[in-house]
Amino acid sequence: MNVLELRDVHRTHGTGDTAVHALRGLSLQVRPGELIAVMGPSGSGKSTLLNLAGGLDRPTRGEVRVEGRVLAELSHRGLAEARRRGIGYVFQAFNLLPSLTAVENVALPLELDGVSVRKARREALRSLADLELTHLADRFPDQMSGGQQQRVAIARALVGPRRLVLADEPTGALDSETGEAVLRLLRTRVDAGAAGVLVTHEARHAAWADRVIFLRDGVVVDSSGPLAQPEQLLAVPGAGA
Amino acid sequence: MSIKFGLLALLERGAMYGYQLRAAFEESTGGTWPLNIGQVYTTLTRLERDGQVRSLPESDAGQRPYEITEAGRAELAMWFATPISRTDRPRDELAIKLALALTTPGVDVRAVVQTQRAATMRTLQEYTRLKAKSDASTDLPWRLVLDAMLFQAEAEMRWLDHCEASLVRHRPAPATTRPESAPATTQPAPAPSEEEARQR
């Protein structure tokens, strides 16, 4: 089953002459183990897509399903629960709470969800261990580098049963090596069975995805999946003397 | 670059015969530059003629190793010390294609840009996959080659974004507009571009 599915989704802000069509009939499916990157110029609808996928906004027309459930049909409470249990976010700013250690930050969404402190901590440690971050467990955010904080934020985004991770420019403020480490991590987590949507303007980062979709003016203008014959890339034209 | 400097650099590690050189060359370029053994021997013959390598006596197995000479070492040092010039590379066909697309009636430049963008993205994805598979501790030379290709592809993506932004700024009308001088009556209506077709 698709973890995330958008069916002919439209999102219009305002009405009449001043209406802004942020998305115009977008359909998208993301399966477990699949990472999708979304690229496009400012105003192309990237953030709208992510907000709709995360249940932070509702489509004007069309359907957004997470794990088979139509988000718009959920009650306010049901939606909050779906967001808390089903969806993890990674933002450009790491958004870790400064007064909590790494493991406490990762455990927080579970505790908010009623999981016992002990169990939440155990799950959080497991999530950190999956990402080889155990050594950071007891550090506070200000004792970690930007790259480390972002990796902890990914651990938090995917702690517990959550299988959908939505990342908005997660490598924004990081240098290229650190940014790459963060994406490597996201890739690993997705390969282990999660589904991911990554919004980025960096082509080199989007390249970690299985599929890259290009948005312009609220529609998908193109998409790029894997090559049928990757070895053809390694035949260098004019290689010879 | 020529194979010459690659072989000189490999011989700097120690004497080698043709097949060893070919294997070492391919290993250090991660298989991105396949050589045939004939190219290796032709190059060795030329290097020997120029006094940059010297052939050693054949082994019992009939293999003739070569070693680098002082002149070869100087040539190699010079190569490492000299930056590669842009003019050593072939003309950029893509830049020329876009420039022509812009001035050719009936061509949707944005579609040309997007076609290239998707292709370059695919290349980036494939290089990234190869990089993800490689081992940081043992494959450093190969990773450097991959990084070079990744950064080049990324630069092309940025340049394409820049081209598109410039097009939007300078030609807000659809890219199918024809020059004033073209007599509209004698031209057939332009077929819808791929992009327009997709948007319908």
Side-chain angles (χ1 to χ4, degrees), chain A residues 180 204 216 221 224 236, chain B residues 110 125 131 154 164 198:
Chain A
E180 191 175 302
R204 202 154 35 88
R216 194 198 297 146
V221 289
S224 145
V236 176
Chain B
R110 286 178 89 175
Q125 283 172 277
K131 196 174 169 187
E154 188 189 21
E164 185 163 47
R198 265 195 292 271

Side-chain angles (χ1 to χ4, degrees), chain B residues 66 70 76 110 116-117 124 127 155 197-198:
Chain B
Y66 288 80
E70 274 315 306
L76 182 64
R110 286 178 89 175
Q116 187 63 41
R117 182 186 280 130
L124 263 176
Y127 290 152
R198 265 195 292 271

Side-chain angles (χ1 to χ4, degrees), chain A residues 89-120:
Chain A
Y89 295 88
V90 186
F91 301 97
Q92 182 169 350
F94 321 121
N95 291 26
L96 298 180
L97 295 181
S99 58
L100 300 183
T101 62
V103 67
E104 288 164 352
N105 262 291
V106 175
L108 188 64
L110 296 175
E111 288 179 35
L112 289 176
D113 207 27
V115 174
S116 74
V117 173
R118 229 166 120 177
K119 188 165 175 234

Side-chain angles (χ1 to χ4, degrees), chain B residues 10 25 33 69 74 97 119 135 138 191 200:
Chain B
L10 293 171
F25 188 95
W33 190 341
T69 64
K97 187 197 254 189
D135 181 340
T138 56
R200 274 173 200 173

